[in-house]
Amino acid sequence: MISRSLETTLNALALLAVSAVLGVAFLDQFAKDELPCPLCLLQRAGFLLLAIGPVLNVARGPRPAHYGVTILAGLVGAGFAMRQVLLHIEPGDAGYGAPFLGLHFYTWAFVVFVAAVAACGLMLVLRAPGEEARPAVRLTGLSLVAVLLVLAMAALNTASTLVECGFDSCPDDPTVYRLLQ
Amino acid sequence: MYLAALFALLLAALAAAAFGPMRLAGILIVASFLAAVLVYLHHATDPLPLSF
């Protein structure tokens, strides 16, 4: 069994991992000038959905229901990613965007969403029973930094998506930032 | 526009989950999941290149 403090730390690290994933996506967007497609943006939204469970765990204390939220988010996000994988499954299809470490971002996204579901299963097995009865801890230190980083990523994605798509529907294959035209 | 709105909704849900009342957080979390799935269904119109 793992202690409550270790469980909280692992959830904070999960939030940092989500922020890192969104950070890499931003880096690719701005450094390589690759605009994310609507499905790519939806997968970023999936990662923010994935962050809700760990945020609840670090802010209100770990509970099985919070892991349930993460598992649902992982399944939803994996569905988004798998849709994009299947759109480019045909032999000879170059895929959308440049590969990263040999795989396209949507393939990595699918792997991470599935890994998150597996990690939740592992945490539910390893956590001490009855821990949720204890009062929640205050949001400080690593947990606070991790939560603020995820909030910053959500805010940045809101602004960048607004600049990219403008006040209209996002094009399937975006080439320009509409609000900067 | 609605994708930016989805991110704004997620920002509100995450902020409420961390600092807000649990009732508000619950409403915003459910709304975020529903909005994400609705946006997905709006975009998932192209047929997949699959044949069995």
Side-chain angles (χ1 to χ4, degrees), chain A residues 60-72:
Chain A
R60 298 168 192 272
R63 288 173 187 270
H66 301 163
Y67 290 107
V69 173
T70 309
I71 290 170
L72 287 175

Side-chain angles (χ1 to χ4, degrees), chain A residues 15-16 18-19 48 51 55 145-155, chain B residues 14:
Chain A
L15 287 177
L16 292 178
V18 168
S19 295
L48 290 173
V55 166
V145 170
V147 168
L148 292 177
L149 209 52
V150 163
L151 289 175
M153 284 297 168
Chain B
L14 286 162

Side-chain angles (χ1 to χ4, degrees), chain A residues 38 60 80 83 158 161 168-169, chain B residues 1-2 7 16-17 20 40 43 46:
Chain A
R60 298 168 192 272
F80 297 163
R83 161 99 194 158
T158 307
T161 305
D168 206 349
S169 182
Chain B
M1 174 63 189
Y2 46 83
F7 280 115
Y40 170 74
H43 275 285
D46 295 339

Side-chain angles (χ1 to χ4, degrees), chain A residues 5 29 37 40 47 53 55 64 68 72-73 90 100 110 112 114 119-121 126 128-129 138 140 148 160 162 180:
Chain A
S5 64
Q29 178 180 344
C37 62
C40 312
F47 281 111
V55 166
L72 287 175
E90 275 185 316
F100 175 75
F110 180 77
V112 173
V114 171
C120 282
L126 292 178
R138 283 194 62 207
T140 53
L148 292 177
S160 123
L162 190 61
L180 300 181

Side-chain angles (χ1 to χ4, degrees), chain A residues 1-2 21 23 26 28 44 60 73-74 78 80 84 91 95 100 109 113 118 133 159 166 168-170 178:
Chain A
M1 295 296 163
I2 58 172
V21 167
F26 262 126
D28 187 76
R44 291 188 190 186
R60 298 168 192 272
F80 297 163
Q84 198 166 8
F100 175 75
F113 283 124
D168 206 349
S169 182
C170 274
R178 281 183 171 166

Side-chain angles (χ1 to χ4, degrees), chain A residues 54-55 58 62 81 97 109 125 164 172 174:
Chain A
V55 166
V58 298
V125 170
E164 179 188 335
D172 283 343

Side-chain angles (χ1 to χ4, degrees), chain A residues 35-164:
Chain A
L35 272 67
C37 62
L39 262 178
C40 312
L41 291 169
L42 256 178
Q43 284 158 69
R44 291 188 190 186
F47 281 111
L48 290 173
L49 282 174
L50 203 61
I52 291 174
V55 166
L56 288 168
N57 275 336
V58 298
R60 298 168 192 272
R63 288 173 187 270
H66 301 163
Y67 290 107
V69 173
T70 309
I71 290 170
L72 287 175
L75 292 175
V76 168
F80 297 163
M82 183 45 73
R83 161 99 194 158
Q84 198 166 8
V85 169
L86 291 177
L87 279 171
H88 300 288
I89 199 78
E90 275 185 316
D93 190 317
Y96 187 90
F100 175 75
L101 299 179
L103 295 176
H104 283 91
F105 275 119
Y106 41 86
T107 311
W108 278 119
F110 180 77
V111 170
V112 173
F113 283 124
V114 171
V117 173
C120 282
L122 196 61
M123 290 298 286
L124 286 169
V125 170
L126 292 178
R127 69 190 306 270
E131 282 290 296
E132 58 268 19
R134 293 173 57 184
V137 291
R138 283 194 62 207
L139 202 49
T140 53
L142 179 68
S143 299
L144 181 62
V145 170
V147 168
L148 292 177
L149 209 52
V150 163
L151 289 175
M153 284 297 168
L156 281 172
N157 270 293
T158 307
S160 123
T161 305
L162 190 61
V163 172
E164 179 188 335

